[in-house]
Each structure stands twice: as C-alpha cells, then as structure tokens.
Amino acid sequence: AAPDAPHETFVLPALSDPAQRGYLGIETTGDFALSDIHAQVLIIEFFDFYCPHCKREAPHVNQLYWNITTDPYLKKRIKMIGIGVSNTTYEVNQFRKSFQVPFPLFPDRSRDLARQLGVRHTPTFIGFVWENGIPRRFLDAPGSMGKVDEFLARVVRLADLEAGRP
C-alpha cells in the first residue's frame, strides 16, 4: 500500500530556477521534502515523456495550473508539480519545452518516487493536503483528469478548501 504521509522519505531534487523555488516556497537550494513545499494542497502529476496519454493531457494540466494561479483564493493554497516516471532530466526538460509546462517538473529515472506512492500508470494525479504540517493524501486519480473545471472543483471539495473561500 502507498504511504499516506511520505514526507519522511519523499525527496525531490534541487530546483535551480529561483522562480520555481519561489512558486513552491522552497527556501533551500538543495534537495527538499514534500513537507518543505509551502501550500495547503499539492497536486502531483505523474507523467512519462513517452506516454501518448500524458502528451494529450498536457494542455489540460496547463489549463488547471492557469485556473489555479488566476484565482486569488486558490493561488495561495494550491501548488502543482510533475514527476516524470522513468524519465531522465533531459526527457523531463524536453516535455517541459514541448508542452510549455509552467510548473516544476522532476525526473524519477529510478521510479522510486512513483513506487513510494503506488503509481502504476501515467498520467496519474495525486493530491496532498497539509494537516498540522503533515501531508495527507486525499486524491488518487489515474488516467485523464476529464474536464478541468470539474477536476478543480473536485480537488477543492476533497481538500476541504470551500469553507474559507470568499
């Protein structure tokens, strides 16, 4: 079974881009843990550079990002990252360039991160909500996200973000 709170062992490689570190609220220039990300909610897309479904989904994932970042309430609360399953840094960077992905992407050449979270297919969307500083998994969505607005509404509902919304 996949862990609910992988914050102890789930380590992401350093982000060289200061804007991406800023987006995630990462204060270190080295490797970091999920719990170092400053957000109430984190959506992780597991993708593969060679996956035709991931390529088809890329414009929708970008739209999800823009829907979040243009919403004054959600942009402070929800962050997104992508993890390239079995992908090298080069492949992840090619995916970013090809699809103009605006959020941070990380390689998972060894599949360690995918394995830790029990990801078997790409694309898969996993969501974490922080409770008392600890990430709790609230979303497990393999395959296409479907309609972007409906997916975002589901994330907001499941992460219980409606309560504080103006």
Side-chain angles (χ1 to χ4, degrees):
D4 279 336
H7 59 288
E8 312 271 334
T9 56
F10 200 94
V11 176
L12 294 166
L15 279 169
S16 56
D17 181 347
Q20 291 199 337
R21 280 199 310 272
Y23 166 71
L24 295 177
I26 301 298
E27 291 162 15
T28 177
T29 53
D31 294 354
F32 61 96
L34 276 189
S35 53
D36 293 328
I37 295 172
H38 290 280
Q40 275 180 268
V41 174
L42 177 66
I43 299 169
I44 304 173
E45 178 200 14
F46 284 85
F47 70 95
D48 177 0
F49 175 77
Y50 299 99
C51 165
H53 308 290
C54 300
K55 292 175 181 183
R56 246 192 328 273
E57 194 73 359
H60 304 286
V61 178
N62 287 348
Q63 187 61 53
L64 176 67
Y65 171 86
W66 294 115
N67 288 6
I68 291 166
T69 57
T70 56
D71 181 307
Y73 179 76
L74 296 179
K75 77 176 183 183
K76 296 177 191 156
R77 290 164 178 82
I78 303 175
K79 301 296 178 193
M80 292 175 61
I81 63 171
I83 295 178
V85 179
S86 301
N87 293 166
T88 62
T89 300
Y90 175 80
E91 290 163 330
V92 164
N93 288 337
Q94 286 303 111
F95 192 88
R96 177 194 327 281
K97 278 185 212 148
S98 297
F99 299 103
Q100 288 138 18
V101 179
F103 51 89
L105 300 179
F106 301 92
D108 185 19
R109 182 81 186 110
S110 61
R111 298 183 51 88
D112 284 347
L113 303 176
R115 220 181 340 274
Q116 284 180 53
L117 292 178
V119 172
R120 289 183 176 75
H121 310 286
T122 56
T124 290
F125 299 90
I126 292 180
F128 287 97
V129 62
W130 268 254
E131 293 170 348
N132 302 316
I134 297 171
R136 175 183 63 80
R137 190 169 174 161
F138 74 91
L139 176 73
D140 217 320
S144 168
M145 75 169 69
K147 292 186 174 146
V148 175
D149 292 341
E150 290 173 12
F151 183 83
L152 182 54
R154 181 175 162 208
V155 166
V156 167
R157 187 181 72 251
L158 292 174
D160 204 23
L161 288 178
E162 284 295 349
R165 196 172 184 130

